[in-house]
Amino acid sequence: MSLKLQSSFSELDSHLRQFDGDGQVSPTEFQWLRDGADRHMADIVTVDAGVFQAQADGVVEAMQKLALAARKSKLTDAERATLKEAVEHQLGYVIAGYQSSLQRL
């Protein structure tokens, strides 16, 4: 199981394709993505997007904690697959929410 992210914004999409090369996001790539996301949020001045930015950080932190707890629990292959499927469905829900709201602006 895996999700593939693509963007309609060429610079972001170009970097995402580079990340796809080895199937993993390195700490440097991850930091670049987070820093870029924060820079873009800082450019928004007419609406308060800070709550969304904080929630995005919260989701990433929650996934990191979930992965750590899963490692400590020594899940079976089937349990690991079930966890990944559940999280991918949640992320699909988030993307669908974007598509049905902000993407339509």
Side-chain angles (χ1 to χ4, degrees):
M1 280 181 266
S2 69
L3 291 175
K4 183 175 180 177
L5 183 60
Q6 76 182 62
S7 175
S8 57
F9 299 100
S10 61
E11 179 189 3
L12 176 57
D13 197 62
S14 174
H15 285 297
L16 294 172
R17 296 298 63 84
Q18 290 174 355
F19 299 168
D20 287 344
D22 62 4
Q24 297 183 24
V25 179
S26 73
T28 302
E29 293 167 334
F30 188 76
Q31 190 64 48
W32 177 90
L33 195 55
R34 181 175 187 212
D35 291 347
D38 288 348
R39 274 193 311 277
H40 281 82
M41 291 301 277
D43 290 341
I44 300 170
V45 295
T46 55
V47 295
D48 181 12
V51 171
F52 183 81
Q53 185 176 9
Q55 292 295 319
D57 286 340
V59 167
V60 171
E61 185 178 323
M63 283 190 293
Q64 291 169 339
K65 288 179 180 179
L66 184 58
L68 183 60
R71 284 186 188 98
K72 286 182 178 179
S73 296
K74 299 182 179 173
L75 301 177
T76 66
D77 289 345
E79 291 168 330
R80 224 177 358 261
T82 300
L83 174 61
K84 289 179 182 180
E85 184 175 356
V87 171
E88 285 190 23
H89 277 82
Q90 291 295 313
L91 293 172
Y93 167 64
V94 169
I95 298 302
Y98 167 77
Q99 291 171 333
S100 68
S101 59
L102 290 171
Q103 185 172 324
R104 292 180 166 198
L105 292 177

